[in-house]
Amino acid sequence: MAKLVVHVLDAAGLLSKHPHSANPFVEVHFDHQKQRTLTKHTHLDPYWNEELLFNISDPKAFPDKTIDVVVYSERKSGHCPDFLGRVRLSGMSVPLSEQDANIQRCPLDRRGLFSNVKGDIGIRMYVIHDHESTNKDTGVKTFHSIGAKRPPPVGTRMDFARTGLSVMTVKHLPIQMQSPEFALVETSPPLPARLQSGYRGKDKIISTYDMVEQMHFLYVNVVKAQALPAMDISGRLDPYVEVKVGSYKGVTKYLEKNQNPIWKQSFAFPKERLQANLLEVTVKDKDLVKDDFVGKVVFHIPEVPLRVPPDSPLAPQWYKLVDKKGIKAEWEVMLAVWMGTQADESFPDAWHSDAHSISHDNLANTRSKVYFSPKLYYLRAHVIEAQDIPSDKSKPPPDAFVRIQFCNQGKVTRSSQMRVINPIWNEELMFVASDPFEDFIIITVEDRGTGEILGRVIIPSREIPQRIESTKLPDARWYNLHHPSIAQTEGTEKKKEKFSSKIHVRLWIDSGYHVLDEPTHFSSDLQPSSKILRRNSIGVLDLGILSARNLLPMKNKEGRTTDAYCVAKYGNKWVRTRTLLDTLAPRWNEQYTWEVYDPCTVITIGVFDNAHTNGSKEDAKDQRIGKIRIRLSTLETDKIYTHYYPLLVLHPSGLKKHGELQLALRFTCTAWANMLTLYGKPLLPKMHYLQPIPVRHIQLLRFQAMNIVAARLSRAEPPLPREAVEYMLLDVDYHVFSLRRSKTNFNRVMSLLSGATAIYRWFNGVCIWRNPNTTCLVHVLFLILVCYPELILPTIFLYLFVIGIWNYRFRPRYPPHLNARLSQAEHVHPDELDEEFDSFPTTKHIDTVRMRYDRMRSVAEKMQTVVGDLATQVERAQAILGWRDPRATALFIIYSLMWAVFMYVTPFQVAAILIGLYILRHPRFRRNFPSVPVNFFKRLPSKADMMLL
């Protein structure tokens, strides 16, 4: 039988209930088992060093169990001990072997609101099996004494602020049911925004780069040279400049046959890596055998001036070159040398010293850039009918249908109900269009039986009218159909036909919709396409991409580690950090800002390995390392969040952590009134509710929009790789059946239904007088409500208000992140992973098994979606008073208080009549939009944000 070992070491800084001292002991509760240590008399820093053993009856259920470690102070006989603090730990966090167990310093928690607790306790827990417990005593409890001398504390916390050391303190957050390996890690980097001294003096970076650690760089801007001498016998000079600091060296492009070259190229050397006090700028002549020395300029780095924005750029100056003999020559080079930070405008385009091995052709792929997605619209085509379709009189009329091709998107109508020369379709097709409108719409009428093209017309998309909101549709037009050879002829006069086939089509562009290009539940932008209909900004989101650690080596076969860069996407703005070469712990310290138009949106950050460095193939693809998503509504306003986020990826072999990404986040609200009113408005623009898009079209349109965005960004310079864009926008096989996801959604629902069970147990306890005080209080409350029924609703709303205020203490203190335990990904069975990563349809060889397997997955997919949606709705209801969205909870409890006061001063009958009449109001007084409570409810967050998809 497996056993749980709880090694209680010591406690420190306990708070005594009496003026003299305490007599502390520890009591441990696990699975209806209780054990305690010896009592240490008159000591506020007791040392026990005792091991307590507990039986584990069901090892499979052990991760769901909790271990309660309570510290008491023993009093005189006959008196209850004083409570000094407790720690509650999950079985999920207990190592399964003694070798993996470490000493934990856990701060003691309070038992109630008025408890006064101080100090922490050192414990060490692990699981042993029968063959490992032969050396343990068979008694219920064993004590081991190692000597009177107390060993030095292991794993104790250090107060870096008190010692004055500039060391970043790191602590794991107490996340329930989450393995420490996959948990969020809170950090305290020295950000200027947290340092009051950064607001004055020389730290002007606080105004622009206050969310990242300040990094200093030595910048060298090589502009041009003049009157350079000819170095070859033929009078030819191919000059280039070499900038060297210690072992770091950067080289400009060489210019052929140019004695007055212009380079305009910048170099950046991190100050912390400078290995010398001299900066050498050398002009050389490119040669086949050995490059010739032209001249150089030397700078003393300690004398280089410091420049920090918003200072104006440093003006370049002419410097005389010194030849080999140390004599100043007549030729000059124009340079600018200064010490700056990453806020400098030269930072994004500079050639950084860690990329000195990158060629000029690949250098652009390593720089940080900002991209913008193209503006997307929905293009609609209403195919009505056609006239005089050409047909052979000796044969029956063709089985005609219409094919529309637009921007690599092709869709077809159904066949006409009747095979006639004037077919009628009356069918609408939808496409995704992007600005500027440069593509053509190709409408073709074809015969389904023979595949023959009966006619074609080509229409420029720039001629299609736009419609804003639900205004009147544009008039349908008749277009002449021509033979394909005629329709494709341009620049020549088309043949005039006596009788021309025509097609009746209504084409228009809808700009009142929001074109979805990312998952609807992880949307970062909810604005309509039309700029006229967009809302005003309600705040600003600042993101500091600080660093990463323990990244997965992606280039082991090449003798390197990882060339990592990050991509962040929010709204239509994409950002890409610079690539840091050959390191598993990159430090970017780059900051970006977005305007926020809706707090119920999500920002996505991904980490990739750059495959477009030296020696890379043209078709090489950047490899995914991991991504995270953060919902803005779960962030408190003006609070700075600094954490290490685990990059979790699910593989066929199991859950893997590919490293940790350190971010700094801050959401600043600039329009509180506008933001609070958004909670009562629909998530999407009005058109989505007035004329909803069929569900069967949404996924296909989103896929088409993603392709347009990926194609446009991949053509930028430098290109944002298509594979990176698709990884940021796409959830692969999210709706395909997975037994793991089905169990996750089922457990989400069951955990919420457990609340009803708890209420029943509480009521049953009241009935059987388990707690006489509570039962008497319920009797009094019951009699009051029976005698005064008008107090029922005010009491309910007041109770909701009090519960919301009470839960404020337990509000989340960190952003949501991927929860491996919630996603059933930590200990998933290999057979379940094999099923999840199996292709659909299955690749099994037996036909019968394939048919049954596919049918089961198809049915279970629908059940999984329904259960997941149900869990999301229930979790939103639970989040009303859970402070997951602090603004929404604050609005609700204030609204509850207002209703409590209103119902108190208003007679119950009057309120009931008003509410009843409002519910039964005439349809004339109803709107097609969702009501304010429905909009408020749909904006609430759920645990779907924390699921590993």
Side-chain angles (χ1 to χ4, degrees), residues 184-201:
L184 202 67
V185 180
E186 185 178 4
T187 64
S188 299
L191 304 183
R194 289 179 171 172
L195 305 176
Q196 295 183 357
S197 61
Y199 285 90
R200 59 181 183 271

Side-chain angles (χ1 to χ4, degrees), residues 540-834:
V540 175
L541 173 65
D542 294 309
L543 171 66
I545 303 177
L546 304 181
S547 63
R549 65 183 182 185
N550 302 325
L551 292 182
L552 187 69
M554 309 298 290
K555 293 185 172 70
N556 279 341
K557 296 181 179 179
E558 303 175 14
R560 305 178 51 145
T561 54
T562 300
D563 303 331
Y565 70 92
C566 295
V567 176
K569 194 265 183 188
Y570 182 77
N572 65 335
K573 180 180 177 180
W574 298 67
V575 298
R576 170 180 175 168
T577 66
R578 70 190 191 279
T579 300
L580 298 183
L581 305 179
D582 198 19
T583 177
L584 299 179
R587 295 179 66 239
W588 293 285
N589 281 306
E590 298 183 22
Q591 181 174 339
Y592 300 94
T593 303
W594 287 268
E595 286 189 338
V596 178
Y597 297 91
D598 195 313
C600 302
T601 47
V602 177
I603 182 173
T604 305
I605 305 101
V607 185
F608 302 89
D609 174 59
N610 196 335
H612 298 83
T613 54
N614 287 352
S616 303
K617 299 180 180 178
E618 294 183 0
D619 58 347
K621 292 185 177 182
D622 293 354
Q623 299 186 63
R624 312 167 180 177
I625 298 179
K627 68 179 175 183
I628 58 174
R629 291 187 173 108
I630 301 172
R631 187 174 294 274
L632 269 61
S633 62
T634 60
L635 304 178
E636 296 183 18
T637 307
D638 295 326
K639 180 179 179 180
I640 299 176
Y641 295 87
T642 52
H643 296 85
Y644 268 112
Y645 294 82
L647 301 172
L648 303 180
V649 180
L650 194 64
H651 293 278
S653 58
L655 181 66
K656 304 294 183 182
K657 185 170 78 170
H658 289 179
E660 295 174 285
L661 178 64
Q662 187 184 25
L663 301 176
L665 281 166
R666 180 179 59 195
F667 171 47
T668 304
C669 180
T670 57
W672 274 95
N674 292 342
M675 181 179 66
L676 296 180
T677 56
L678 282 176
Y679 281 91
K681 295 182 179 180
L683 274 171
L684 296 170
K686 296 180 180 179
M687 287 293 293
H688 289 267
Y689 305 98
L690 298 177
Q691 297 180 8
I693 302 173
V695 177
R696 65 181 184 275
H697 293 162
I698 291 178
Q699 287 299 327
L700 179 59
L701 292 173
R702 187 171 75 86
F703 183 74
Q704 293 170 352
M706 184 197 67
N707 284 335
I708 293 175
V709 173
R712 187 71 61 87
L713 296 182
S714 63
R715 296 178 58 190
E717 184 58 38
L720 188 60
R722 184 183 184 91
E723 57 272 14
V725 177
E726 292 179 351
Y727 182 60
M728 299 285 287
L729 295 180
L730 188 62
D731 282 334
V732 181
D733 298 335
Y734 177 71
H735 296 285
V736 176
F737 171 74
S738 165
L739 186 59
R740 177 187 60 84
R741 280 195 290 262
S742 298
K743 292 195 301 183
T744 298
N745 292 332
F746 179 78
N747 290 338
R748 290 166 61 194
V749 174
M750 294 305 298
S751 64
L752 298 176
L753 294 179
S754 62
T757 307
I759 294 176
Y760 171 77
R761 289 199 302 263
W762 174 83
F763 183 74
N764 185 60
V766 170
C767 295
I768 63 177
W769 289 75
R770 179 176 298 170
N771 190 332
N773 296 331
T774 303
T775 304
C776 293
L777 181 62
V778 170
H779 278 75
V780 173
L781 181 62
F782 171 72
L783 294 176
I784 292 175
L785 295 180
V786 169
C787 297
Y788 301 96
E790 63 272 12
L791 296 180
I792 294 177
L793 290 180
T795 302
I796 292 176
F797 284 110
L798 186 61
Y799 178 75
L800 294 176
F801 173 78
V802 173
I803 291 298
I805 293 296
W806 178 266
N807 288 342
Y808 179 78
R809 299 185 306 127
F810 309 105
R811 68 191 187 279
R813 304 304 176 97
Y814 48 87
H817 65 290
L818 296 178
N819 193 319
R821 178 64 178 171
L822 176 67
S823 305
Q824 299 284 322
E826 284 192 81
H827 302 287
V828 60
H829 194 275
D831 183 64
E832 297 178 9
L833 287 175
D834 178 70

Side-chain angles (χ1 to χ4, degrees), residues 11 19 21 91 125 145 149 184 274 280 602 670 785 846 851-852:
S21 185
M125 296 188 301
S145 179
K149 185 178 179 180
L184 202 67
L274 295 181
E280 298 182 1
V602 177
T670 57
L785 295 180
I846 305 176
M851 181 271 296
R852 294 176 179 175

Side-chain angles (χ1 to χ4, degrees), residues 423-443:
I424 299 176
W425 297 282
N426 197 26
E427 188 173 347
E428 186 177 296
L429 304 178
M430 291 188 67
F431 305 86
V432 178
S434 62
D435 196 14
F437 302 107
E438 299 174 346
D439 298 295
F440 291 88
I441 305 170
I442 304 175
I443 303 177

